[in-house]
Amino acid sequence: MKKKIVLLISVFLVSIFLSGKNDLSAIEGKGDKKSEKKVITACDGETQVVLNDVSKDEVMTREKAQEVANMLLATYQQQKKYQSTKFTRRDSLIWERELKAMIEEGYKWFHDPSLGTNGISCDMCHPDATDTHPETYPKFQIQLKKIALLRDMINWCIENPMEGKPLKEDDPRMKAIEAYIIWARANQDPRPHAKTLNPGKR
Amino acid sequence: MPKMPSERKEEQYLKERDEFFKALPKLNRRQFIKVAMASAAVALAKNQFPPHSFQLVEAVEAKQGGGTEVKFRFAYISDTHLYERKLNERFVRAALKAVQDVNALDPQPDFVLFGGDLAQLGQPEELKLGKEILSELKPKLYMMVGEHDWYLDLGEKWIELFGKPYYSFDHKGVHFIVLNSVLVDDYWTETKMTPMERMKFMAQLDNPKGRPFTVGRGYGDVGKKQFEWLKQDLAKVSKDTPIVVFSHSPLYKYYKPWNFWTDDAEEVQALLRPFKNVTVIHGHTHQPVFNRIGNINFYGMLSTAWPWPYAPTGLPKLTIKMNRADPFDQFDGTGDGTVEVLANGKANKIYNLWSREPMKVTARYLESGGKEEVPPVPVDPSF
């Protein structure tokens, strides 16, 4: 119960945070439909360039595109200078909490037999996510006769030892399990060879 | 015999392999190599298995003489972790496979030890199913408890079905002791856990709040009474009588975060120290693991249900790790086994790994500090 409230609050805070940014971009002229100018947004979802000489649906030449990319990066870097003070301790606490929530969600599913049908759960064979070797993916999995991603083996274990139905790749449970496994194994396995596993081995 | 549930394709391979190994002792070395090559070729031609999984190693035959001849054998089955049959047939299939193995042994073992964790969640139906399956065994059966059998009702149903949780018996000049080594401090009264919550708390190996096992401590006075009993029982035995102790937990300290651990191990070892020949056979760790501390040889048993990874630290130096199990084969890394008790009171252990060559670990190997009679080392690294 308590956990839920914390989660709600954090979702609330995050949305305030995000909506603040939306206001900013509105001022910059986003959504101005009449002009039909091309607007390009960087991966941060914030930094934008508005192109006066290219229309909305036009495909840019390679040179033009490179020019725009350079411009975008320069703008981004400039903005970052004064943005560095924009993230407060409160922000980072929120991010940490969100991450923790996702890992905990993954931990929960990793220990939950309801992913399968026979009562078995992942932790029974992989205590502390041992022997999941996330750092070795992608790799050729001999038994599958193809390149496998971590989620392919997660699904394999769900379908076989646990006799369950595979999860969709974008299923939040799949994402959470991946998050838990990667987090649990990252720099946590004290065995020296854990970091030097050869790709291609099962 | 209860009906064998539907078999999987991979078992065909395993059956062929079984036949192959059964034929082994009857062959001399030259014939062995011939058969081995032929059989490997068959396996490869059928593309049934990656080649490395079928490494052929000549079984080491015990050197005769000096009291090293086998006086008698007993078999073991351990850690079946049964759920109710309607929920999970997978582990039922594995337990039945072990029963069939033991019944097919020729010569038959003098008796069978069950190493604990018959049930997964201590449910009466699980324990009863286990009893039904084990009742198919032809040799006499000795039972031991594991934590999965115990923490739903603190042993009530188990005791009703199988009798005392700790006892001793003598067989052909060897003194056998069976312990209840899964006793922990009370973590449930104060936290007001239901019996099922208590059970699940215990069943989770990577539970960060898990409590360490003991023989002589734990909740109530079960542990204290058992420890007193053990002292008195040992007082009656002469110091050169060989002793074999059955314990679910390892009786030494391997890896605490997973409770591969007996917290009062030193105290139990101290009671065993005055004896000339002491062997401990334990369950719980689901892997080939062997150790020697002072005068005591330790051998871990295989599980029929699933193998566990080796713990990240604390593995006994003498243990030769099997390489990691193939997740595509239910029976890889699991199995059952036998113990040979020699005329000189030592005990050798045979790991009957279902999808691999059997592995024999001798007392000589342990007592020579790993220098003599070294079991075959896997080619692949263990993860």
Side-chain angles (χ1 to χ4, degrees):
Chain A
M1 189 58 200
K2 211 170 149 197
K3 221 163 131 192
K4 259 195 193 144
I5 291 172
V6 170
L7 202 80
L8 269 176
I9 292 174
S10 61
V11 167
F12 181 62
L13 289 175
V14 166
S15 55
I16 290 178
F17 179 77
L18 290 176
S19 64
K21 282 182 184 164
N22 287 341
D23 290 341
L24 247 173
S25 51
I27 293 165
E28 281 165 19
K30 193 189 174 186
D32 185 18
K33 276 192 182 139
K34 272 179 273 170
S35 66
E36 291 292 334
K37 284 171 189 164
K38 199 170 194 83
V39 178
I40 313 252
T41 310
C43 317
D44 63 351
E46 262 181 61
T47 314
Q48 295 187 330
V49 285
V50 182
L51 303 170
N52 292 319
D53 53 347
V54 186
S55 68
K56 191 168 176 263
D57 299 320
E58 198 179 325
V59 179
M60 292 183 283
T61 62
R62 172 93 200 148
E63 289 87 54
K64 184 73 191 168
Q66 186 62 55
E67 195 187 308
V68 171
N70 293 348
M71 211 151 59
L72 202 56
L73 187 64
T75 316
Y76 169 74
Q77 278 167 345
Q78 209 171 20
Q79 274 185 3
K80 228 177 55 178
K81 275 185 208 138
Y82 59 86
Q83 268 183 2
S84 59
T85 51
K86 224 168 116 184
F87 304 125
T88 62
R89 187 168 146 66
R90 198 196 67 181
D91 295 329
S92 56
L93 283 177
I94 292 168
W95 301 334
E96 258 167 52
R97 202 156 48 201
E98 289 294 300
L99 177 65
K100 197 159 169 272
M102 182 157 186
I103 289 165
E104 273 170 11
E105 180 74 4
Y107 178 92
K108 200 191 86 197
W109 287 112
F110 199 83
H111 291 75
D112 189 340
S114 73
L115 285 178
T117 59
N118 56 14
I120 304 177
S121 55
C122 311
D123 62 303
M124 282 168 57
C125 300
H126 300 287
D128 293 326
T130 305
D131 279 341
T132 50
H133 307 128
E135 71 284 8
T136 65
Y137 286 86
K139 66 179 167 189
F140 192 85
Q141 195 81 21
I142 324 170
Q143 303 95 327
L144 295 174
K145 299 189 174 65
K146 63 171 189 189
I147 297 292
L149 297 179
L150 182 60
R151 67 197 66 157
D152 296 318
M153 275 310 289
I154 293 175
N155 263 341
W156 203 92
C157 278
I158 291 177
E159 282 188 85
N160 292 276
M162 288 161 58
E163 301 175 272
K165 283 215 181 72
L167 299 176
K168 290 224 172 65
E169 298 209 356
D170 61 352
D171 188 310
R173 291 172 292 178
M174 175 60 89
K175 292 183 178 178
I177 293 169
E178 278 191 343
Y180 166 68
I181 289 179
I182 293 168
W183 172 84
R185 301 319 299 165
N187 304 315
Q188 295 237 334
D189 195 330
R191 294 174 296 180
H193 59 262
K195 291 188 191 75
T196 55
L197 288 172
N198 304 326
K201 289 254 171 199
R202 68 173 162 81
Chain B
M1 191 87 203
K3 204 177 143 291
M4 191 84 167
S6 54
E7 290 187 9
R8 293 155 63 111
K9 261 182 270 161
E10 55 217 41
E11 283 185 55
Q12 188 201 340
Y13 163 82
L14 300 172
K15 267 187 195 146
E16 279 173 20
R17 204 171 160 287
D18 269 1
E19 292 305 314
F20 166 66
F21 277 114
K22 256 180 229 149
L24 269 192
K26 298 178 190 111
L27 303 172
N28 66 28
R29 198 185 138 78
R30 277 184 75 161
Q31 285 164 326
F32 172 89
I33 289 172
K34 234 167 123 185
V35 173
M37 303 284 283
S39 155
V42 167
L44 282 175
K46 290 190 179 167
N47 193 18
Q48 278 165 322
F49 247 65
H52 69 264
S53 67
F54 205 86
Q55 296 147 14
L56 296 155
V57 182
E58 189 175 359
V60 182
E61 274 305 311
K63 289 187 199 97
Q64 301 292 299
T68 58
E69 63 276 11
V70 176
K71 197 168 174 190
F72 66 92
R73 290 183 177 82
F74 65 89
Y76 73 82
I77 300 176
S78 195
D79 294 82
T80 50
H81 290 265
L82 297 168
Y83 293 86
E84 279 185 56
R85 185 195 279 271
K86 63 175 189 291
L87 178 62
N88 181 320
E89 290 210 327
R90 191 181 165 87
F91 291 171
V92 173
R93 199 154 52 216
L96 287 171
K97 189 171 163 65
V99 169
Q100 286 176 351
D101 271 6
V102 170
N103 285 344
L105 285 174
D106 181 18
Q108 278 284 282
D110 285 15
F111 61 85
V112 185
L113 160 72
F114 185 81
D117 286 353
L118 182 63
Q120 171 64 11
L121 296 171
Q123 313 260 356
E125 287 311 313
E126 298 171 352
L127 291 167
K128 276 192 261 171
L129 172 63
K131 186 168 182 163
E132 181 196 324
I133 292 171
L134 293 176
S135 71
E136 299 294 327
L137 283 165
K138 285 190 246 160
K140 181 176 169 49
L141 172 67
Y142 289 99
M143 289 298 290
M144 176 158 75
V145 297
E147 77 280 10
H148 285 260
D149 305 320
W150 195 260
Y151 281 91
L152 184 70
D153 59 6
L154 300 179
E156 209 174 291
K157 189 72 193 176
W158 194 93
I159 290 169
E160 181 196 314
L161 290 172
F162 301 109
K164 279 192 184 163
Y166 56 88
Y167 54 95
S168 66
F169 62 93
D170 293 292
H171 183 82
K172 294 187 178 165
V174 177
H175 189 63
F176 286 88
I177 295 168
V178 182
L179 294 176
N180 171 1
S181 57
V182 296
L183 300 169
V184 303
D185 286 339
D186 182 341
Y187 55 83
W188 52 88
T189 306
E190 211 177 289
T191 46
K192 298 199 170 67
M193 287 184 184
T194 64
M196 199 53 184
E197 282 165 349
R198 174 172 62 204
M199 181 68 246
K200 287 191 168 163
F201 182 97
M202 178 52 79
Q204 184 190 338
L205 195 73
D206 62 6
N207 182 352
K209 294 185 187 145
R211 305 299 160 91
F213 291 139
T214 72
V215 172
R217 300 189 208 138
Y219 69 91
D221 60 358
V222 198
K224 275 190 214 99
K225 277 191 184 152
Q226 172 170 241
F227 201 80
E228 262 323 294
W229 167 85
L230 180 61
K231 262 196 226 163
Q232 282 164 20
D233 186 75
L234 286 170
K236 289 179 276 183
V237 182
S238 85
K239 299 292 177 274
D240 43 42
T241 303
I243 305 234
V244 178
V245 181
F246 296 146
S247 163
H248 184 70
S249 69
L251 285 194
Y252 61 90
K253 292 174 171 172
Y254 171 0
Y255 188 62
K256 200 168 185 182
W258 295 349
N259 211 359
F260 287 2
W261 192 268
T262 303
D263 222 37
D264 57 354
E266 288 84 0
E267 288 148 60
V268 181
Q269 288 168 17
L271 291 184
L272 298 167
R273 186 126 315 133
F275 294 88
K276 220 174 103 194
N277 285 305
V278 186
T279 309
V280 171
I281 310 281
H282 68 85
H284 189 58
T285 47
H286 297 205
Q287 60 193 221
V289 55
F290 20 99
N291 195 6
R292 179 169 172 83
I293 300 172
N295 60 326
I296 308 174
N297 292 336
F298 300 84
Y299 300 102
M301 288 182 271
L302 298 172
S303 160
T304 62
W306 74 86
W308 257 325
Y310 287 101
T313 57
L315 186 71
K317 282 197 190 66
L318 288 168
T319 294
I320 294 172
K321 296 202 269 185
M322 74 173 171
N323 46 355
R324 276 297 293 156
D326 182 353
F328 293 71
D329 171 4
Q330 176 191 341
F331 295 122
D332 192 22
T334 60
D336 46 46
T338 48
V339 175
E340 303 173 341
V341 181
L342 309 182
N344 63 10
K346 314 276 181 199
N348 299 334
K349 171 96 187 279
I350 290 128
Y351 290 94
N352 179 31
L353 286 152
W354 280 330
S355 289
R356 302 174 183 214
E357 62 275 11
M359 180 175 183
K360 177 161 168 174
V361 183
T362 64
R364 189 74 220 117
Y365 167 74
L366 296 177
E367 288 167 17
S368 67
K371 292 192 182 69
E372 292 170 36
E373 297 187 6
V374 184
V377 180
V379 180
D380 278 357
S382 169
F383 282 16

